[in-house]
Structure formats: C-alpha cells, structure tokens
Amino acid sequence: GAVVSQHPSRVICKSGTSVKIECRSLDFQATTMFWYRQFPKQSLMLMATSNEGSKATYEQGVEKDKFLINHASLTLSTLTVTSAHPEDSSFYICSAVTGSLNTEAFFGQGTRLTVV
Amino acid sequence: GIQVEQSPPDLILQEGANSTLRCNFSDSVNNLQWFHQNPWGQLINLFYIPSGTKQNGRLSATTVATERYSLLYISSSQTTDSGVYFCAVLYTGTASKLTFGTGTRLQVTL
C-alpha cells in the first residue's frame, strides 16, 4: 500500500509554545488529507479536512486559530498547534487519499504530543 | 452526521479461537475500511471493502452496504492480533470525510 510519513512521532513542548507536525505522502499525490485526534482509550476524532491549495475545513468545535493546517503541496500537509496548553496533549494522526475520495485512505504513524 | 457503532467494545479470546467483530453505520457510504491499531498507535490497513467479501490469510471481511453493516472475522487468533480494531466509513454529505467507529479492543491470551 501507499506510504504516509508523519513527523515527529513524539514531541514534548512547554506550555505557550507552538508545535508543527508534518504529514507527507511518499509515493502518491494526496489531494486530500485528514487530521485526527485521539485521546487514550477512545476512537479517532476528525479535526479537519485539508485540500491542496485551499483552506482547510474544520469540524465543529475545533478551533481553527489553535490548530493551523496548511496543505501547500500534493505531498505535504502540516498541523501547527499554536500556544499549546496541557489540554492539547494527545495523539495526532494524519491520513491521505488520492484524487478520488472513494479510494483507500492511508495513515501516518501518529504524533504523541505532551505539553508540560 | 453519520453514526458508526462497533460491537463488542471489548473481547478477550484464548489463542486459537475465532471471533467476529461488527460495524454498523447509520447512512449510505461510499467506502469502508477496517484497521488494526497496534500498541504504538499505528493504524494498519486491513481491508478496503465498500461491499462484498474479501479474505487475507486468517482475516476476512464482509460488507452488506444495503443493510449498513460490515463484519470482520478473525480465525485461529494469535497474541499478535491483540489491539484495537476500527472500522471507518467515507460518506458524501456536505463534505466527504472518513468517520471512525467506536472500536473493539481485542486481547488474545495464551
């Protein structure tokens, strides 16, 4: 299957700082990428959908100014957690699909963010 | 939005046993996938199965789209099968997005 690479896999940051997470599709062009958040022992919750070259679509309740998403190219999307606080600590994971949304989605390895 | 429920929420099996995991969804979908989340959080693609039946080794899956459910079968379970199994569906509403089910946590013991 296709490969999606997410970096970093683990990050610890101080409260008030910003953290950027990268999601790359290595062997295919991803016109759409999704960002998810997962709390311990819970399911994955969709945060936003990003399409290359356009603004991201955020799910209800997700602060767009807190979670900045940029999908600058067909192989790279970034999620920046701005002014992070301890309650932002979570597991963040991205996925990518090719041009047709009816095709298989592939996921990155995930990023475990801890804000201290 | 669409609701995706999985059952059972938790399952404990002895090695060698068989099991069936179920995924029910509340609306028509264009895509359904099954994943295994390992202890490190990585999501492993198991099946892309919007309809019909597929098999891969000890695993097989069936989706009956008209009745809005999918089943994942695990035969001769092994301890390495432990983890959380998710189904996820893609539907076209106001915006297409992949929605995850509630998950089934599987523990396979010796």
Side-chain angles (χ1 to χ4, degrees):
Chain A
V3 179
V4 177
S5 177
Q6 188 172 339
H7 178 81
S9 59
R10 187 181 297 268
V11 58
I12 300 173
C13 71
K14 290 185 177 180
S15 189
T17 61
S18 296
V19 174
K20 181 183 284 188
I21 302 169
E22 291 188 349
C23 180
R24 294 181 183 273
S25 56
L26 297 186
D27 52 2
F28 68 101
Q29 293 185 329
T31 55
T32 303
M33 289 186 173
F34 301 90
W35 286 95
Y36 294 84
R37 183 174 182 176
Q38 186 180 31
F39 290 107
K41 297 189 186 299
Q42 293 188 23
S43 185
L44 281 73
M45 297 300 295
L46 181 66
M47 299 174 65
T49 302
S50 76
N51 293 290
E52 185 266 337
S54 62
K55 289 185 178 180
T57 302
Y58 290 81
E59 294 300 298
Q60 193 171 6
V62 177
E63 300 175 59
K64 60 180 68 176
D65 294 330
K66 157 71 82 176
F67 300 101
L68 300 178
I69 291 172
N70 184 289
H71 194 157
S73 76
L74 286 171
T75 59
L76 174 65
S77 177
T78 60
L79 167 67
T80 301
V81 183
T82 63
S83 187
H85 289 94
E87 57 265 31
D88 299 324
S89 299
S90 190
F91 187 67
Y92 295 87
I93 190 166
C94 69
S95 79
V97 296
T98 58
S100 167
L101 286 173
N102 291 337
T103 55
E104 191 171 0
F106 296 90
F107 283 77
Q109 305 94 318
T111 297
R112 193 163 303 280
L113 171 64
T114 303
V115 185
V116 298
Chain B
I2 194 169
Q3 304 299 314
V4 186
E5 298 288 334
Q6 291 184 240
S7 61
D10 296 280
L11 185 60
I12 301 176
L13 297 175
Q14 267 202 320
E15 197 171 43
N18 303 327
S19 63
T20 300
L21 282 57
R22 188 177 179 101
C23 171
N24 291 331
F25 41 96
S26 62
D27 205 341
S28 299
V29 300
N30 296 324
N31 173 8
L32 186 144
Q33 293 183 237
W34 282 97
F35 298 93
H36 175 212
Q37 188 170 38
N38 67 22
W40 298 272
Q42 174 95 44
L43 282 172
I44 310 299
N45 288 41
L46 297 178
F47 294 102
Y48 166 70
I49 185 167
S51 64
T53 297
K54 289 186 178 180
Q55 180 156 7
N56 184 2
R58 295 182 295 104
L59 303 181
S60 64
T62 295
T63 296
V64 184
T66 54
E67 296 187 22
R68 300 181 183 172
Y69 73 89
S70 183
L71 302 174
L72 176 69
Y73 306 94
I74 304 174
S75 64
S76 304
S77 59
Q78 300 175 359
T79 55
T80 52
D81 295 331
S82 297
V84 184
Y85 290 81
F86 289 106
C87 65
V89 299
L90 184 70
Y91 74 109
T92 304
T94 55
S96 298
K97 50 191 177 182
L98 198 62
T99 300
F100 276 75
T102 49
T104 292
R105 186 172 300 273
L106 172 65
Q107 183 179 352
V108 181
T109 62
L110 291 172

